[in-house]
Amino acid sequence: IRSRLDKFVKAKADVMKPDMKTLMKQHGFAQLPSFLYMRPTGTVVQKISQVPRLEDEFQRDLDYVLKRERAIASAKKMLAVSPGRASTMHRLGIAYADASENQLAREQFEKVVAAGGSGKHIADASYRMAMLYAEEGKADKVMPLLDAVLKNDPKNRLKVADKVLLLKGKTDLENK
């Protein structure tokens, strides 16, 4: 565990201070110790509040966070080498999505779609953007993206089924 933790910048918080109580409440921490993994930007990468934790569970949590961060770093390096490739932008978008960086993921997927062309990268980027918009309840943005999925990858039955479900969701949203 110590070798894994050495890969993080650590900070302790005095939970008796009002601003720390607010932070704990904001992130749903009810007990101590709790762990909040953040990027320098303040984005929460992972939070752990189930204590006590077994050592192997804690190691898996750390490995998971590190794996996601390495995937983002790797995709950024690839993008620096070949900045215009849709497949590279797509890979970075997936890495961001896996890390729950939805805004950054959407920006990458938008770049993939804006690059034009056809095929599975365009279809998948359109699909992932549609799912992000669906989570936000933006049905008006979902349907055109799902149409692009069907155009670029018509054989993908799962995405066709998702379109049917989202159509129902769109109807539900419009009826509210």
Side-chain angles (χ1 to χ4, degrees), residues 86-87 90 94 112-113 117-128 148-149 151-157 159:
S87 61
H90 182 255
I94 290 171
V112 173
V113 171
S118 62
K120 292 194 184 277
H121 289 303
I122 302 293
D124 189 68
S126 298
Y127 174 74
R128 289 173 182 268
V149 171
K151 176 183 164 205
N152 289 297
D153 190 10
K155 294 181 182 176
N156 193 322
R157 303 283 183 230
K159 292 176 184 163

Side-chain angles (χ1 to χ4, degrees), residues 11-173:
K12 290 182 181 179
D14 181 352
V15 295
M16 300 310 292
K17 291 185 177 178
D19 56 339
M20 289 299 108
K21 286 182 180 182
T22 302
L23 181 72
M24 286 183 64
K25 186 175 181 181
Q26 176 185 353
H27 291 288
F29 292 138
Q31 58 191 25
L32 297 173
S34 292
F35 300 89
L36 188 62
Y37 300 93
M38 300 174 80
R39 290 201 181 90
T41 60
T43 301
V44 175
V45 176
Q46 176 105 359
K47 61 183 180 178
I48 301 169
S49 63
Q50 296 94 8
V51 180
R53 297 186 59 78
L54 298 174
E55 183 176 331
D56 63 325
E57 289 178 308
F58 191 58
Q59 286 180 4
R60 278 194 304 270
D61 291 336
L62 293 172
D63 289 343
Y64 181 67
V65 171
L66 291 169
K67 179 182 174 188
R68 290 189 319 193
E69 295 304 304
R70 279 193 301 267
I72 291 171
S74 173
K76 283 182 176 180
K77 285 179 187 175
M78 288 178 65
L79 192 59
V81 172
S82 48
R85 291 191 63 192
S87 61
T88 308
M89 291 181 280
H90 182 255
R91 182 175 173 178
L92 181 56
I94 290 171
Y96 280 136
D98 289 345
S100 299
E101 289 277 10
N102 293 344
Q103 179 62 35
L104 294 172
R106 187 171 39 248
E107 289 171 11
Q108 287 304 310
F109 296 139
E110 286 171 354
K111 289 177 185 177
V112 173
V113 171
S118 62
K120 292 194 184 277
H121 289 303
I122 302 293
D124 189 68
S126 298
Y127 174 74
R128 289 173 182 268
M129 283 175 34
M131 295 302 108
L132 291 169
Y133 283 128
E135 286 176 13
E136 297 171 10
K138 296 180 179 176
D140 59 317
K141 295 187 178 202
V142 171
M143 299 319 295
L145 289 166
L146 289 175
D147 289 336
V149 171
L150 293 172
K151 176 183 164 205
N152 289 297
D153 190 10
K155 294 181 182 176
N156 193 322
R157 303 283 183 230
L158 175 63
K159 292 176 184 163
V160 172
D162 283 346
K163 181 173 182 178
V164 171
L165 292 173
L166 286 167
L167 278 169
K168 182 186 179 316
K170 178 183 177 191
T171 304
D172 292 347
L173 282 171

